[in-house]
Amino acid sequence: MTKYTVPRGTRDILPAEVALWQFVEQKAREIFRLYNFREIRTPIFEHTELFLRGIGENTDIISKEMYNFQDRKGRSLTLRPEGTASVVRAYLESNLHKQEALSKLWYQGPMFRYERPQAGRYRQFHQMGCEVLGAVSAYQDTEVIALAQHFFETIGLRGLEVHINSVGCPICRPVIKERLKSFLGDNLNNLCEDCRKRFETNPLRILDCKNPECNEFFVMLPDISDVLCAECKEHYHDVQNYLNIMRIKYMVNPRLVRGLDYYTKTVFEVISSHLGAQNAVCGGGRYDNLIQELGGPSIPAVGFAFGLERAVLIMQNQKVTVPGRTPYLLLLPLGENAGNRAAIFANKLRRKNIPLEIDISGRGLSAKLKTANKLGVRYVYILGEDELVDKCGQLKDMRDGRQKKIRFDKFLAEMEKKYKKDNRS
Ligand code: HAM
């Protein structure tokens, strides 16, 4: 028989792990709301051209990682590799920029990149991200960094580092590239093949090489922040000033560059030592030219996205626990008549929003009580055939094991009272 497996680079998220995902998603939604972001939802595929134009043709994403396909009319479409280009497209297409000076949007969903799979790196992965469109002030850069840090704190992650850098703008970037090229040009033989290729196409990306031999050599690299133009220097200074007054811990990392070409000025990443080689759980920065590049007016913007797989992986490594989602009550009928009665109770209690399970199987009481333990329920209501005659059942408190008789006509009100009380405390 053929055995079907998930495609390479994708994975199933099974119920035990989904609890962590739901917790992360819920906390992120709360934080976005706290910082006044509104949700936007865009399609999972877009015209290929959007990403070619938006992300930059010399990036790894465009040159080798896109999931492109043709539809039946021969149009080239692409499964989105990231969210920013789509948000900008939607923002322009719906004329949001004409309706408000500042748009603060967040999004979530699967992204697709044909990368070499490894721990924390998948071909289908999930991001939650936010974009501030109309972000004139350096304060906005700091606000999104503050939001990211606040969020990771809220989900209980420890030991994360925020790294920041400035990659300049179209005025100073050519000078930065020249400075790098003149240093690297004499030493090309010491670099790996990838770096030698990037030397021609995208020299800034050389800084991001993970090859240990290249890394040894990079210690001697010139500091690119020296050659920023006056405006970029001032902006970088202002961002750091805001970070300082808001008491946000960060590290200046002159080697931080990003894998997408749209960034100008500030770039940042949140790094964890619990992730192995793929150590960034979150990345972002300013992109002052992308909106114009995609056919809109000149509007500056800043944002970030974090990877859910990586956030959850750190939680697992750091043994962060989240409130469980177990049923509150298990109804345990013994016999057919008791089963009918329990089905009526289940129907009524669920309409009162009490999460419960009913074990309608023909198994005996002790086997059914084992299920109750496994589920971790708070109460079990046992309905035996004998008790049907008295019109009552036994309510067992699974915390202390105590059991008491409760009449059928009192049971619904009693459960409601208990559930309310337990969920208040
Ligand atoms: P990015 O750095 O490419 O930025 O991705 C952001 C985050 O997504 C990464 O830090 C990582 O946690 C996660 N991620 C990326 N690739 C993978 C993968 N193959 N497997 C698992 N997780 C992955 C962006 O995508 C930008 N759009 C962020 C941004 C928003 N910049 C401005 N606004």
Side-chain angles (χ1 to χ4, degrees):
M1 268 282 273
T2 316
K3 222 173 153 194
Y4 296 102
T5 55
V6 288
R8 184 165 149 77
T10 69
R11 61 194 287 267
D12 299 312
I13 304 155
L14 299 176
E17 196 182 311
V18 166
L20 286 174
W21 282 66
Q22 287 180 337
F23 176 78
V24 170
E25 287 162 2
Q26 186 201 329
K27 291 294 169 198
R29 272 189 221 114
E30 285 169 17
I31 295 272
F32 285 137
R33 157 127 187 67
L34 207 56
Y35 286 71
N36 192 31
F37 282 77
R38 291 169 307 147
E39 186 181 358
I40 182 164
R41 300 182 184 196
T42 63
I44 281 179
F45 59 85
E46 298 269 1
H47 293 292
T48 304
E49 186 56 30
L50 174 73
F51 300 118
L52 293 184
R53 184 103 202 155
I55 296 175
E57 304 206 8
N58 288 323
T59 57
D60 284 354
I61 297 183
I62 298 301
S63 61
K64 51 187 185 197
E65 295 172 1
M66 300 253 277
Y67 277 95
N68 299 329
F69 62 97
Q70 284 202 343
D71 71 6
R72 286 167 189 276
K73 290 260 168 74
R75 285 172 286 234
S76 177
L77 300 168
T78 297
L79 295 183
R80 62 181 179 195
E82 60 107 46
T84 310
S86 305
V87 169
V88 170
R89 195 240 344 109
Y91 166 80
L92 290 174
E93 194 171 345
S94 60
N95 283 325
L96 268 185
H97 62 296
K98 294 189 182 150
Q99 295 155 34
E100 49 195 31
L102 187 71
S103 299
K104 295 171 77 174
L105 306 171
W106 73 266
Y107 54 90
Q108 80 175 103
M111 309 288 160
F112 305 84
R113 296 182 193 174
Y114 191 84
E115 295 197 77
R116 198 166 45 76
Q118 63 182 82
R121 187 162 75 188
Y122 300 96
R123 289 182 175 168
Q124 175 177 322
F125 59 97
H126 298 78
Q127 285 185 345
M128 287 181 93
C130 62
E131 313 294 348
V132 182
L133 306 139
V136 178
S137 163
Y139 167 76
Q140 309 292 353
D141 308 38
T142 315
E143 188 178 75
V144 294
I145 297 173
L147 188 162
Q149 203 194 45
H150 190 171
F151 162 69
F152 289 119
E153 203 178 280
T154 308
I155 61 168
L157 301 192
R158 300 177 304 275
L160 298 182
E161 285 173 8
V162 176
H163 288 203
I164 65 164
N165 193 19
S166 174
V167 291
C169 67
I171 294 170
C172 49
R173 184 95 40 86
V175 189
I176 297 175
K177 283 186 179 166
E178 269 325 301
R179 166 80 67 102
L180 270 179
K181 280 182 96 165
S182 70
F183 174 80
L184 294 167
D186 300 335
N187 298 287
L188 268 189
N189 290 341
N190 297 322
L191 299 180
C192 69
E193 200 190 319
D194 261 358
C195 283
R196 285 205 293 270
K197 260 190 231 149
R198 284 177 182 147
F199 183 80
E200 296 305 332
T201 55
N202 201 349
L204 262 181
R205 286 291 292 161
I206 293 183
L207 297 181
D208 201 29
C209 178
K210 300 275 188 304
N211 186 320
E213 277 165 33
C214 296
N215 270 260
E216 257 174 48
F217 170 73
F218 288 158
V219 183
M220 297 174 290
L221 276 173
D223 184 350
I224 53 172
S225 57
D226 285 356
V227 272
L228 293 176
C229 66
E231 192 191 315
C232 288
K233 261 192 190 144
E234 188 184 338
H235 186 88
Y236 197 25
H237 173 270
D238 291 348
V239 170
Q240 292 185 50
N241 195 32
Y242 278 121
L243 288 169
N244 293 336
I245 60 174
M246 288 165 77
R247 301 224 180 290
I248 293 163
K249 283 202 185 122
Y250 64 95
M251 284 168 70
V252 170
N253 177 355
R255 273 194 49 200
L256 176 68
V257 285
R258 308 256 311 120
L260 304 114
D261 270 358
Y262 48 62
Y263 292 108
T264 53
K265 299 180 179 158
T266 318
V267 289
F268 72 96
E269 277 183 355
V270 182
I271 308 284
S272 164
S273 56
H274 281 89
L275 282 174
Q278 301 306 315
N279 62 358
V281 62
C282 170
R286 178 167 275 277
Y287 46 96
D288 287 347
N289 302 323
L290 180 63
I291 296 174
Q292 198 167 26
E293 197 63 27
L294 294 178
S298 170
I299 297 176
V302 64
F304 73 78
F306 73 89
L308 275 115
E309 283 79 3
R310 295 189 191 173
V312 167
L313 196 64
I314 306 174
M315 289 174 91
Q316 288 167 329
N317 287 342
Q318 297 189 344
K319 306 214 176 336
V320 176
T321 53
V322 301
R325 303 218 169 225
T326 52
Y328 185 68
L329 168 73
L330 178 64
L331 294 169
L332 281 193
L334 301 167
E336 199 174 313
N337 291 334
N340 293 344
R341 170 59 69 176
I344 297 168
F345 281 148
N347 219 19
K348 289 191 170 159
L349 287 169
R350 283 173 174 149
R351 275 179 175 66
K352 294 195 182 297
N353 291 324
I354 301 181
L356 64 86
E357 185 52 284
I358 168 168
D359 185 344
I360 207 84
S361 73
R363 300 179 308 157
L365 181 60
S366 64
K368 288 192 174 189
L369 281 173
K370 274 192 195 140
T371 312
N373 274 322
K374 209 167 151 195
L375 282 176
V377 295
R378 178 80 170 83
Y379 289 101
V380 171
Y381 192 50
I382 305 162
L383 299 93
E385 290 290 327
D386 292 350
E387 283 134 341
L388 280 187
V389 181
D390 302 345
K391 295 204 181 324
C392 68
Q394 297 281 344
L395 188 70
K396 184 173 169 114
D397 184 331
M398 296 301 282
R399 276 199 196 152
D400 58 18
R402 274 200 287 211
Q403 206 161 297
K404 72 174 185 187
K405 253 189 189 180
I406 302 216
R407 289 175 53 87
F408 289 163
D409 55 359
K410 298 266 182 329
F411 176 60
L412 295 180
E414 178 77 19
M415 276 331 293
E416 251 190 296
K417 206 168 80 192
K418 286 190 185 310
Y419 185 67
K420 258 195 202 137
K421 192 171 144 232
D422 280 348
N423 280 277
R424 221 182 295 125
S425 57

